[in-house]
């Protein structure tokens, strides 16, 4: 009975492999979508070891199919001569209706698809794609200013609570 309980807990849990924090700094994320990824065996093993970088990665439509480009999955250390190429294009899997809708949106000016994270869901590796618009330099400065002021307020608030002995 405990075996079933453990497997159901594992099934519901999602383990984040990596996040693309730079994307949230450089882009406004309008929508988020989940996609499957066509991977080789050594890529899966490297991803499970968290050996991936999404800094310059993006997704693009080619011949009606969605491809993940410039995602760097490091070669598997225990791999043989059949190890994968680190930045090879990887096909993304989504339902046809969703692909068509995303393709129409990306054809509009200023929208691009950026991978926000890789994660494990039900034992399968998924990628979270964001439909994004680029931030201008003043938008980035404003976001930094807001984050710093919120941090300063929290610091001051914590300091006052320590003085009162709470």
């Amino acid at each position: 009975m405990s075996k079933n309980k453990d497997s159901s807990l594992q099934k519901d849990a999602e383990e984040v492999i990596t996040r693309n924090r730079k994307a949230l700094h450089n882009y406004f994320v309008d929508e988020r979508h989940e996609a499957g990824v066509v991977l080789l065996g050594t890529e899966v093993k490297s991803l499970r070891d968290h050996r991936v970088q999404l800094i310059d990665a993006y997704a693009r439509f080619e011949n009606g199919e969605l491809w993940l480009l410039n995602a760097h999955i490091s070669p598997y250390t225990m791999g043989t001569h059949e190890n994968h190429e680190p930045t090879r294009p990887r096909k993304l899997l989504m339902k046809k209706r969703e692909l068509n809708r995303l393709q129409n949106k990306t054809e509009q000016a200023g929208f691009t698809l950026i991978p926000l994270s890789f994660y494990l869901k039900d034992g399968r590796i998924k990628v979270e794609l964001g439909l994004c618009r680029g931030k201008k330099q003043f938008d980035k400065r404003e976001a930094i200013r807001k984050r710093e002021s919120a941090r300063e307020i929290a610091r001051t608030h914590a300091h006052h609570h320590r003085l009162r002995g709470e």
Side-chain angles (χ1 to χ4, degrees):
M1 189 173 228
S2 65
K3 191 174 184 180
N4 290 340
K5 187 177 181 183
D6 291 342
S7 65
S8 68
L9 287 174
Q10 186 180 15
K11 204 173 202 181
D12 293 337
E14 287 184 5
E15 178 191 342
V16 175
I17 295 170
T18 188
R19 292 188 198 284
N20 189 352
R21 292 190 297 260
K22 194 80 165 169
L24 299 177
H25 176 72
N26 290 333
Y27 299 96
F28 292 113
V29 180
D30 288 354
E31 297 177 12
R32 294 172 185 257
H33 299 275
E34 178 181 273
V37 190
V38 176
L39 297 169
L40 301 173
T42 54
E43 290 174 324
V44 173
K45 290 175 183 258
S46 286
L47 280 166
R48 287 181 183 268
D49 287 343
H50 303 273
R51 296 175 51 84
V52 59
Q53 293 178 4
L54 295 175
I55 293 173
D56 294 327
Y58 62 98
R60 182 176 24 181
F61 283 93
E62 292 178 11
N63 301 326
E65 296 178 334
L66 187 57
W67 293 86
L68 179 64
L69 305 169
N70 288 345
H72 187 280
I73 300 175
S74 298
Y76 184 55
T77 54
M78 305 297 279
T80 62
H81 64 282
E82 294 182 22
N83 223 333
H84 64 274
E85 181 187 332
T87 57
R88 75 174 187 90
R90 294 166 181 94
K91 187 175 179 179
L92 298 177
L93 306 171
M94 297 174 83
K95 293 189 175 183
K96 190 72 169 174
R97 185 174 62 239
E98 201 171 0
L99 282 173
N100 290 337
R101 198 175 73 71
L102 277 177
Q103 188 169 12
N104 290 337
K105 288 225 175 187
T106 56
E107 288 170 356
Q108 295 176 11
F111 281 111
T112 188
L113 287 168
I114 303 292
L116 303 176
S117 66
F118 268 110
Y119 57 94
L120 278 168
K121 180 178 179 183
D122 297 333
R124 298 182 189 272
I125 294 176
K126 303 286 185 177
V127 64
E128 180 183 26
L129 289 175
L131 185 64
C132 302
R133 289 177 291 124
K135 282 185 181 177
K136 303 285 187 223
Q137 189 64 38
F138 65 86
D139 291 327
K140 294 177 190 177
R141 283 194 297 263
E142 182 65 28
I144 291 169
R145 227 181 340 268
K146 284 181 182 177
R147 190 170 52 240
E148 287 175 352
S149 66
R151 196 176 294 145
E152 184 62 34
I153 290 168
R155 199 177 294 132
T156 305
H157 188 66
H159 179 70
H160 286 296
H161 280 290
R162 262 189 263 122
L163 290 178
R164 284 198 242 154
E166 293 178 3

